[in-house]
Amino acid sequence: MGLAAAAAIHRLMILGKPPKFSFKNPQSLFGKPLIFYSPNSPTHFNSLVCLRVNSLHSKSPSIRTHHPIQELLLLLAFSLTLLCFRLLSNALLPDFPLHWQRLVAFSREAETRTKSYPEHLWQAIVAYEDRRFFTHFGIDPVGIGRAVLSLSARGGGSTITQQLVKNTFLKNERTFSRKILETVLALVLERTMSKQRILSSYVCKIYWGHGINGIESASKFYFGKHPSLLSLAESAMLTGLIPAPELRSPLRDHTSGKTFQARVLKRMVKVGFLDIEMALLTVRQPLFLHLSREEHADELGVGEKKKQNEEGRESTWDWERESKIREVCEEMERWAIKVGLSST
């Protein structure tokens, strides 16, 4: 009886008829009709291949074609990228990575050299150039807004960090792309260096007039001393030269030194670095410049050179100097009275 059953099953497989199962509706378990073929049947291998391909096709996601708008956006993004690279190449100085590495190394050296500088020198520079230097993140939104509202043709709103970036990495062209790049690099520089390193690098690199770069050379040229020995009056006068050192130089106008010194002292009072009494006392002090170069010795008769002048010329110069100091002091006193009245 067992042989008969085996023969019946073998005959069914050869004929290709599906065998009967003891449970109901076996197709519901697989989702497809089950068809058995004989191993020797030519359709057996083809059926397996078709089932495998159909199963892979059902699992793989359908391929979607790109929409024309997507292709247009990709093309626009690529064009903007090329435009940005072109603008960067036009605004940046050659060998930008090398300049960046040099600035980082220079900042360490500048921080070490300026540790002995007096505090009132730093306060004068910060108050006059960038009063929110220690609180902003590289750019000053308040200063930018004030510059935009005032519609100043001279610009304004640039922080000390931005000025350091402009003097180190960028070309002198005044373009909108250069301003954007200056802002971006200032943000990056603030996250690369400390505030003190940025400030030290700034005072050691900027131009002070008459072919002089750096605060140390400027201090020796104008006053014949190291910056660590500068008084409050001398620090305020040097700080007043920063925006336009050639035009504000006391070698061109011997009265300009006191004028811009008074402006710096006012800024220090407004920021809170100095009280009004100390500012008035400082502005009353005379300034004696020490000219370390012979080619400038005849332009301003002060300091040691003044002692060599004739008596009549010396008395005339003393009168002019004292008169200017008196004018600046009187203007400073009127300003102090206004500030006192407004504060009360």
Side-chain angles (χ1 to χ4, degrees), residues 102-112 193 197 200-201:
R102 288 178 178 175
L103 179 61
V104 172
F106 179 79
S107 66
R108 302 191 190 101
E109 179 186 354
E111 185 182 25
T112 304
M193 299 182 189
R197 285 189 177 182
S200 300
S201 302

Side-chain angles (χ1 to χ4, degrees), residues 130 132 135-149 156-159 162 183 187:
D130 187 4
R132 284 173 288 273
T135 58
H136 64 62
F137 47 89
I139 60 175
D140 185 9
V142 178
I144 295 175
R146 183 181 292 110
V148 172
L149 292 177
S158 295
T159 63
Q162 289 178 277
T183 303
L187 295 174

Side-chain angles (χ1 to χ4, degrees), residues 17 36 58 74 77 89 91 116 135 148 155 192 208-209 285 298 317:
K17 296 180 179 181
F36 291 89
S58 62
L74 290 175
S89 61
S116 61
T135 58
V148 172
T192 305
W208 295 87
Q285 299 174 2
D298 295 331
W317 166 248

Side-chain angles (χ1 to χ4, degrees), residues 267-279:
R267 293 280 185 91
M268 295 180 70
V269 172
K270 291 179 180 179
V271 175
F273 293 150
L274 203 65
D275 54 40
I276 297 179
E277 290 76 12
M278 181 58 68

Side-chain angles (χ1 to χ4, degrees), residues 276-293:
I276 297 179
E277 290 76 12
M278 181 58 68
L280 291 174
L281 180 62
T282 303
V283 81
R284 292 190 183 104
Q285 299 174 2
L287 284 174
F288 296 98
L289 301 182
H290 172 82
L291 300 179
S292 59
R293 297 183 183 178

Side-chain angles (χ1 to χ4, degrees), residues 207-212 218 221-223 237-261 287 289-291 293 295-297 299-300 302 317:
Y207 183 64
W208 295 87
H210 305 287
I212 300 171
F221 174 75
Y222 288 107
F223 298 109
M237 197 222 77
L238 284 178
T239 302
L241 301 179
I242 294 178
E246 294 288 352
L247 296 177
R248 299 184 178 188
S249 172
L251 302 182
R252 293 180 177 272
D253 182 6
H254 59 269
T255 62
S256 63
K258 297 299 295 184
T259 302
F260 295 107
Q261 179 199 57
L287 284 174
L289 301 182
H290 172 82
L291 300 179
R293 297 183 183 178
E295 60 267 26
H296 299 298
E299 298 183 28
L300 186 62
V302 294
W317 166 248

